[in-house]
Amino acid sequence: MIPTITAFEQSPDRGRGLARDMRVRWALEEAGQPYEVRLVPFGAMKEPAHRALHPFGQIPTYEEGDLVLFESGVIVFHIAQSHAGLLPDDANARARAITWMFAALNSVEPPILDLVIAKLVEGDKPWAKERLPLVQERIRARLGELSRRLGDAEWLDGAFSAGDLMMVAVLLRLKPSGMLDEYPTLAGYAARGEARAAYKRAFAAQLAVFTGKPASG
Ligand code: GTB
């Protein structure tokens, strides 16, 4: 059965792959699973029809027969569990890969999200200038820790896994800030993720929504 995911009809990032449908597309591409995309206009996102799929009126969602999922983390996890290649067969290695997925979402993404909010949502507040360095400091602390753990390894725990997919997707949200480049180990790690054929296909597909040109290849 071909699953359907949702994405922004008009991507505010102008196709830079920063919205969370990108990680779901990437996982589907890694899994070799064809998929369809329903583009949701902003107005429709908070309407009952979309809220029936996503209680918070957001993208991405995932529909596969009777199954409806929201939350990019669980969608990627579901894809990884249902296909070979994104989670190791060995039980302990699998648990560690899942740990890295959670770490990406619960320990690395929150301070990065704080930065986006501090800049885009709270940037005009009188206290914004004072808050920003605190947020940046928390990101740097986390990136330093992650960078030390990765060391000179290619991926976080053996072969590329859904844990790496999620971590790279989260780290790439920092690209516009330039902060990722302060950590060459992590910049290289993210670049290895971006160099994967599945990432490139997913990126081209979400960019095509913005450019109106069909993704080639
Ligand atoms: N925890 C949920 C998940 O992981 O799926 C969060 C989902 C979420 O935040 N979705 C956002 C959304 O639908 C899109 S991805 N927002 C609309 C709303 O809440 O009304 C976040 C996002 C949006 C835009 C950019 N950008 O333009 O750069 C980047 C990331």
Side-chain angles (χ1 to χ4, degrees):
M1 178 162 297
I2 306 267
T4 299
I5 65 165
T6 52
F8 284 135
E9 185 186 58
Q10 282 184 330
S11 177
D13 72 347
R14 304 161 71 87
R16 283 188 298 166
L18 299 173
R20 285 181 174 91
D21 59 296
M22 177 61 205
R23 55 189 69 170
V24 172
R25 292 173 184 268
W26 184 9
L28 287 162
E29 292 288 353
E30 291 283 353
Q33 170 65 58
Y35 62 101
E36 284 171 3
V37 182
R38 190 169 60 254
L39 300 176
V40 188
F42 274 107
M45 244 182 312
K46 307 299 177 194
E47 292 294 324
H50 188 68
R51 278 199 197 269
L53 306 177
H54 196 309
F56 310 127
Q58 297 183 313
I59 61 96
T61 60
Y62 177 97
E63 293 155 74
E64 185 189 6
D66 292 342
L67 178 67
V68 178
L69 297 174
F70 61 96
E71 287 296 334
S72 59
V74 85
I75 298 172
V76 170
F77 184 42
H78 172 73
I79 296 163
Q81 273 195 311
S82 325
H83 299 83
L86 278 169
L87 287 173
D89 291 333
D90 173 76
N92 285 358
R94 196 176 180 91
R96 288 196 303 272
I98 295 166
T99 302
W100 280 116
M101 286 185 67
F102 276 79
L105 294 169
N106 289 345
S107 298
V108 180
E109 192 162 44
I112 293 176
L113 195 54
D114 278 351
L115 180 69
V116 176
I117 292 169
K119 285 186 171 175
L120 299 184
V121 183
E122 300 168 347
D124 59 351
K125 299 284 185 264
W127 37 262
K129 273 208 171 76
E130 275 180 76
R131 179 159 190 257
L132 196 57
L134 301 175
V135 171
Q136 289 167 330
E137 206 175 296
R138 283 199 292 274
I139 295 174
R140 288 195 176 100
R142 213 17 59 92
L143 294 185
E145 290 161 337
L146 183 65
S147 177
R148 282 190 287 281
R149 168 52 83 101
L150 181 64
D152 55 12
E154 190 178 13
W155 305 113
L156 285 165
D157 193 312
F160 176 83
S161 77
D164 294 297
L165 184 152
M166 197 55 83
M167 191 63 82
V168 167
V170 163
L171 291 176
L172 286 173
R173 294 196 67 178
L174 269 182
K175 236 185 171 184
S177 73
M179 286 181 77
L180 193 55
D181 293 331
E182 295 174 26
Y183 298 83
T185 298
L186 296 182
Y189 170 62
R192 285 193 287 284
E194 289 178 292
R196 293 180 70 84
Y199 179 94
K200 288 182 182 168
R201 287 194 298 272
F203 188 90
Q206 62 78 43
L207 178 62
V209 175
F210 180 72
T211 61
K213 293 184 197 145
S216 59

